[in-house]
Amino acid sequence: MKKNGHKLFTLVALLGTAAGVIHIANRFIDATSQLKDMLEQPHSKTYDWRFGKIHYTKQGHGAPLLLVHDMMPGASGYEWSSVEKQLATEHTVYTLDLLGCGRSEKPDITYTNFVYAQLLCDFAKNVIQQETDVIASGFSGSFAIMAYRNNSDYFRKIMLVNPPSLSSLKQAPCEDNKLFKRLIEFPVFGTLIYHIACSRETISSLFMEQLFYNQFHVTDILVDTYYESAHKGGSNAKYLYSSYIGKYLNISINNAVESSDACIYIISGEKEASGSLIAEEYQKLNSSIETAVIPETRHLPHLEDPEHFLEQVSIFL
């Protein structure tokens, strides 16, 4: 009996020590990942939204244009840094960090498509205060479509850049997804999993293998900025990641696409996996949707080839 008690004590001591070491490592990563201040911007603004403070910038003059970044680890309004100044020569450009991303607040909540669609509606109503065009990147295209469905009075034309497939958005969280979400949200050890998934090396590989076609366009500044953004706000950054991986952001937008009377334009990177097929998937539901392809780019054509991307924007807007 005493022997078993000794083993249990030893096990508890080892687990406690391991947890302590991992906690220190997590705190070290949170601190060192933000030393370069890559996300600092002059003239930044804050919108006090119901779920947290939303960071955004406003520049230029003309018809309003809202830029909405993708949902990959480390995503923020920085995604539009190569095109927003040029767009601001003809538009009043609003570039925001979505809730849970970049410089915006990162509350401990379950993030859903409804949350982001409502954020876009409230931002257009309370900040822009007039009908706006929208350019949404990647997964955030589903937020823009649902925001228009919820309140079309605040949105006009919608450009989707490499939107997610309609079939993938129909995937509801299964038990494995729910378990993994809870695992990531678990203190200390869950934070470690998040730090591994969003390490600088992992983000660099993501750009090299999935986001950019030309690997020589992936710069240290780009990777460092996404890495800092992924850890801004400390361990709370993991809650959006857990919801995303757990498929809690998914929602079927088929009906919204099919019934939409908005002008919708889809931009695909030529080298994006299934990019053209996904665009055709949207067009089958709504034949009024127009499409274009930017050569020799992948998931982020506005970062990889801003010149040709801006040409397409000028055609559409």
Side-chain angles (χ1 to χ4, degrees), residues 201-212:
E201 292 73 19
T202 302
I203 291 174
S204 179
S205 297
L206 182 66
F207 271 95
M208 294 283 192
E209 298 169 8
Q210 299 181 37
L211 303 182
F212 274 30

Side-chain angles (χ1 to χ4, degrees), residues 34-45 55 57 76 78 81 84 97 102-103 224-225 228-229 232:
Q34 302 173 52
L35 290 177
K36 296 182 180 181
D37 280 336
M38 306 296 292
L39 291 171
E40 287 302 313
Q41 283 186 319
H43 314 301
S44 61
K45 301 176 181 293
H55 173 279
T57 59
S76 70
Y78 177 82
S81 59
E84 59 184 350
D97 289 359
R103 293 144 289 198
D224 285 342
T225 303
E228 178 182 321
S229 177
K232 195 83 172 175

Side-chain angles (χ1 to χ4, degrees), residues 206-224:
L206 182 66
F207 271 95
M208 294 283 192
E209 298 169 8
Q210 299 181 37
L211 303 182
F212 274 30
Y213 171 64
N214 189 335
Q215 296 184 359
F216 292 103
H217 290 167
V218 180
T219 65
D220 287 340
I221 292 176
L222 184 63
V223 175
D224 285 342

